[in-house]
Amino acid sequence: MSKKNPNRLQIEYRSPHELRPRADNAKVHSKQQINKIVKSIKRFGFVNPVLISDENEIIGGHGRVEAAKVADLPQIPTVRLSSLTPAERLAYNLADNRLAELAPYDRDLLAVQLEELTNLGFDEIEVTGFSLGDIDLRLEEAAEKKGASVGPEDELPAPRKNVVSRVGDLWILESHRLLCGDATVAADCQRLMDGQQADTSARQLVG
């Protein structure tokens, strides 16, 4: 940012190793997040300049700088905010990290956009920051909301007219007992167990 005109931004390319992170930066960047930023940089390029002070202290973009080091980039774009006071730099650092977190996603529109990327054959959908599992879950939620996922296998059969068992019926199946009752009712549990205790130590695999 020009000192003569603080509203005019000027991009300067610098080595990421020249830039100094804030010692008290409150935002923590995990290795997983840094790796996601690296993937984004490799796909789209380093298109979001890092904000720095006159002393090359990072004001906004700590994660991008660390990702640039991992990606071994010789230079990255920076914008110098010379007009900000130390208090303003700290305030902007907090705002830069916090304000984006306050905006929720429109879940329906997000699902539409993720599906559109899939239909367009975009081969690195994880560079959006969403994992494949998260994407699948959102697409399934959208499909269920539309009713598209309901098929014959999801339909419950109609109840039989001739009821075979009623509440209170106790079935003896060789060494097993099956009670038509309520597991939250003590009397039903006592009747089912018939004075015996459940054996949870034995396990049988059915294949």
Side-chain angles (χ1 to χ4, degrees):
M1 182 179 291
S2 171
K3 292 184 178 180
K4 295 181 180 180
N5 186 352
N7 294 319
R8 183 180 179 85
L9 300 179
Q10 295 181 342
I11 295 180
E12 301 173 350
Y13 281 82
R14 297 182 176 277
S15 166
H17 298 281
E18 294 180 24
L19 308 181
R20 178 167 52 88
R22 286 188 63 94
D24 57 351
N25 184 45
K27 188 72 171 183
V28 178
H29 298 281
S30 67
K31 181 179 292 186
Q32 182 182 18
Q33 185 199 13
I34 296 298
N35 289 336
K36 288 184 177 181
I37 299 175
V38 170
K39 290 181 180 179
S40 177
I41 291 173
K42 290 182 177 180
R43 179 72 190 215
F44 306 115
F46 203 111
V47 295
N48 192 358
V50 176
L51 306 179
I52 62 174
S53 69
D54 286 339
E55 294 77 28
N56 287 345
E57 182 181 72
I58 302 171
I59 300 174
H62 287 78
R64 297 195 297 279
V65 172
E66 290 304 309
K69 293 177 181 177
V70 173
D72 199 25
L73 298 182
Q75 290 187 321
I76 59 176
T78 67
V79 171
R80 195 179 296 280
L81 303 182
S82 302
S83 65
L84 299 187
T85 66
E88 289 173 333
R89 294 201 297 265
L90 174 57
Y92 186 89
N93 175 263
L94 293 173
D96 186 50
N97 289 323
R98 178 58 177 161
L99 293 180
E101 298 174 355
L102 299 178
Y105 282 101
D106 182 317
R107 298 178 68 88
D108 293 338
L109 185 57
L110 175 61
V112 169
Q113 293 176 343
L114 291 173
E115 186 176 12
E116 183 179 358
L117 281 177
T118 302
N119 293 336
L120 290 172
F122 191 76
D123 58 350
E124 291 185 76
I125 197 168
E126 286 185 286
V127 298
T128 60
F130 294 95
S131 66
L132 291 178
D134 192 27
I135 293 170
D136 289 341
L137 178 61
R138 292 177 186 274
L139 293 180
E140 288 176 6
E141 288 177 351
E144 290 176 0
K145 194 170 183 180
K146 295 178 182 178
S149 63
V150 177
E153 69 278 3
D154 300 308
E155 297 180 1
L156 295 176
R160 297 178 58 178
K161 294 182 179 180
N162 299 325
V163 179
V164 176
S165 182
R166 300 179 184 275
V167 175
D169 286 353
L170 178 64
W171 298 76
I172 307 299
L173 308 172
E174 296 183 356
S175 61
H176 302 284
R177 296 165 65 88
L178 178 64
L179 176 69
C180 183
D182 189 341
T184 64
V185 177
D188 284 357
C189 294
Q190 291 172 358
R191 184 181 175 208
L192 174 66
M193 300 308 297
D194 192 29
Q196 302 295 317
Q197 291 186 345
D199 182 5
T200 60
S201 61
R203 296 182 180 179
Q204 182 176 0
L205 299 178
V206 179

